[in-house]
Amino acid sequence: MTTPDVELVPPSLLTDAAARAQKHLDGVASRSVAPTDEALAGLAHFDGPLPAEGTSPADVLAELDAHGSPATMLSNGGRFFGFVNGGTLPAALAANWLATAWDQNAALSVMSPVAAKLDEVAVRWLVELFGFDAGVGGGLVTGATGANIAGLAAARHRLLADVGWDVDADGLFGAPPVTVIVGGEVHPSLQKSLGILGFGRRRVVSVPADDQGRMLAEHFPNKLDGPTIVCLQAGNVNSGASDPFAEIIPAAQQQGAWVHIDGAFGLWALTATARAHLVAGVEHADSWATDAHKWLNTPYDCGVVLTRHPDDLAAAMSMTASYLASDGGREPIDYTSEMSRRARGVEVWAALRQLGRAGVDELIEGCCRHATNLAEGLAAGGFDVLNDVVLNQVVVASGDTAAMAATVDRIQSGTECWAGPTTWQGRPALRLSVSSWATTDRDIERAVAAIVEARG
Ligand SMILES: *Cc1c(COP(=O)(O)O)cnc(C)c1O
């Protein structure tokens, strides 16, 4: 064996990192879900100025572990119910480490054959998993926000090309108007995407939603005029409810509209045999935004844009330069707004390889079952359950604004579990999302007991 001139990594550094990570994960069961006040105060350690001199990698790691690890939110455990933050599957976590050691730039196949291959396989497997038509393609992006931007950019390209306008070359100024239809309970990230793309956050037709946040099909415009993008939602971020796809999508498409789905987590209902009916018809849309880092439980940041018109996505996203050689095959760079990028396909591949189709079904169904048990336990403990618990989302309330705020405060400053506040149908509430493979029946029992005790 030849001795290398440069040691790429000190022999014990990665094993040290692994040991520290293992210790952190082993501590999840016994540590408080949110960091303690002492741990938060410890973050002041990082407030110092830029160091003049360097530090050994081992010391950098030790310092990070000492002051950073205690100040983490234990969202990878089974009793974190905030936002829609999934845990991380073991295979996805380990694959992420290995891929980081590979240090691959997943922009082009010539930069990383393995990253390009797994990017392609990950997208293909997701298309199969969701049961979409074989021609559906897309890319891996930073999250559902990035996926909404990408899907809507593809829509913008296609609809304006159809009326003779090259938006990618000539921009939106002077372009024929495009009507954008959203639901009354549209997610703010979709509104932000509309703003970024020049459609305007406010320049939309908003269709009223029902008490679960579903677009009311009877209020959907009967006649669509000119280029139109219809933005529907799979999985309201509070209630988990989905728009009536089977009623709206065919009618909109018959009139030439492009239907885009924001399905950050709700699209995953498709993968669970017993839940797929909740999103029936969603497979007929033109584009879909979803996340792997939410319900597939990959590490952040990992979103997915899929479309049945991949050429339109590529028209909006691709670029050419003489130094960016392609062998003519699929290039990850052609389907996302980024150029240099991490090899997200590795984690998606690893998660799907670990679970298989059956394991994904179990993950999604298990979270939904836990959500039902959580809602039943909280109802028995005196809370009003405000949503129809059909998926993984639970919204509960008890008492007036002040009482609800005090309850949320007691939950968040307790050690047992973590959930955040929301306002649902005008009522201050607690929202809980069960999105991690790691949640067990025992976790739900413990969370119910803690939340009921915290009720004001
Ligand atoms: C979480 C969420 C988003 C944004 O997803 P990110 O991955 O955080 O960008 C968009 N839409 C819905 C419905 C969501 O739940």
Side-chain angles (χ1 to χ4, degrees):
M1 227 171 104
T2 50
T3 318
D5 295 339
V6 174
E7 202 171 55
L8 290 180
V9 65
S12 59
L13 187 68
L14 293 183
T15 39
D16 185 23
R20 290 176 187 280
Q22 186 69 49
K23 187 158 162 263
H24 175 76
L25 292 173
D26 288 346
V28 166
S30 52
R31 211 200 80 181
S32 83
V33 174
T36 62
D37 289 345
E38 190 192 344
L40 294 176
L43 286 175
H45 171 82
F46 295 112
D47 288 336
L50 173 71
E53 306 292 335
T55 303
S56 79
D59 287 347
V60 170
L61 192 68
E63 186 179 335
L64 181 65
D65 193 23
H67 304 280
S69 295
T72 49
M73 185 64 91
L74 297 187
S75 48
N76 46 2
R79 280 171 285 112
F80 182 86
F81 305 108
F83 314 98
V84 188
N85 287 0
T88 302
L89 287 163
L93 169 60
N96 169 288
W97 284 10
L98 184 57
T100 302
W102 290 347
D103 189 30
Q104 299 294 281
N105 187 334
L108 291 167
S109 54
V110 69
M111 290 177 182
S112 174
V114 63
K117 170 55 78 178
L118 292 180
D119 197 285
E120 178 187 338
V121 172
V123 168
R124 180 167 60 76
W125 279 7
L126 288 169
V127 168
E128 274 184 52
L129 180 69
F130 291 130
F132 291 163
D133 294 338
V136 169
L140 302 178
V141 294
T142 51
T145 306
N148 278 328
I149 294 169
L152 293 169
R156 188 178 66 168
H157 170 85
R158 174 78 269 140
L159 291 172
L160 286 172
D162 285 348
V163 290
W165 187 269
D166 182 348
V167 67
D168 302 299
D170 299 322
L172 271 184
F173 298 104
V178 176
T179 302
V180 177
I181 299 177
V182 302
E185 278 285 339
V186 60
H187 192 273
S189 73
L190 195 127
Q191 293 171 311
K192 170 176 163 171
S193 306
L194 291 172
I196 289 172
L197 289 166
F199 289 124
R201 295 185 187 208
R202 199 168 50 197
R203 194 189 146 281
V204 293
V205 176
S206 180
V207 179
D210 69 8
D211 64 352
Q212 298 300 314
R214 289 175 295 230
M215 206 184 260
L216 285 161
E218 63 266 34
H219 289 278
F220 192 82
N222 284 330
K223 190 165 161 7
L224 304 179
D225 264 332
T228 304
I229 303 175
V230 177
C231 304
L232 303 180
Q233 184 165 257
N236 175 282
V237 77
N238 284 306
S239 72
S242 294
D243 287 332
F245 304 121
E247 285 170 78
I248 294 177
I249 295 177
Q253 284 175 336
Q254 255 165 30
Q255 300 186 70
W258 176 296
V259 180
H260 172 78
I261 308 291
D262 176 3
F265 64 96
L267 194 64
W268 292 84
L270 268 181
T271 69
T273 318
R275 310 281 162 172
H277 68 96
L278 296 168
V279 290
V282 75
E283 66 277 12
H284 298 300
D286 293 282
S287 56
W288 304 265
T290 193
D291 270 318
H293 62 212
K294 283 182 175 170
W295 225 351
L296 185 59
N297 287 194
T298 69
Y300 299 97
D301 46 33
C302 193
V304 187
V305 57
L306 296 173
T307 171
R308 67 175 65 254
H309 315 283
D311 291 349
D312 292 324
L313 181 60
M317 294 294 167
S318 64
M319 58 183 166
T320 51
S322 55
Y323 77 102
L324 297 174
S326 167
D327 62 9
R330 177 187 182 277
E331 296 292 356
I333 197 179
D334 288 343
Y335 298 96
T336 79
S337 60
E338 302 143 341
M339 193 165 161
S340 297
R341 51 205 292 281
R342 1 185 256 113
R344 300 185 180 100
V346 173
E347 292 147 29
V348 174
W349 173 85
L352 293 174
R353 187 77 184 90
Q354 182 192 322
L355 295 176
R357 193 186 282 276
V360 175
D361 190 325
E362 237 168 81
L363 165 64
I364 301 305
E365 185 58 32
C367 289
C368 295
R369 191 170 45 78
H370 288 314
T372 301
N373 293 340
L374 191 54
E376 283 173 2
L378 294 177
F383 283 92
D384 298 331
V385 179
L386 304 189
N387 67 320
D388 296 343
V389 181
V390 292
L391 206 64
N392 61 330
Q393 302 294 118
V394 181
V395 185
V396 297
S398 170
D400 61 12
T401 304
M404 199 63 238
T407 301
V408 171
D409 217 44
R410 280 190 289 271
I411 293 166
Q412 293 189 349
S413 56
T415 58
E416 281 287 272
C417 65
W418 201 96
T422 192
T423 300
W424 184 242
Q425 304 293 319
R427 196 165 166 200
L430 176 73
R431 66 181 288 286
L432 303 113
S433 176
V434 188
S435 319
S436 175
W437 70 275
T439 299
T440 63
D441 290 340
R442 179 75 193 120
D443 285 323
I444 296 298
E445 285 167 24
R446 283 175 64 174
V448 167
I451 296 168
V452 168
E453 196 185 311
R455 188 168 76 95

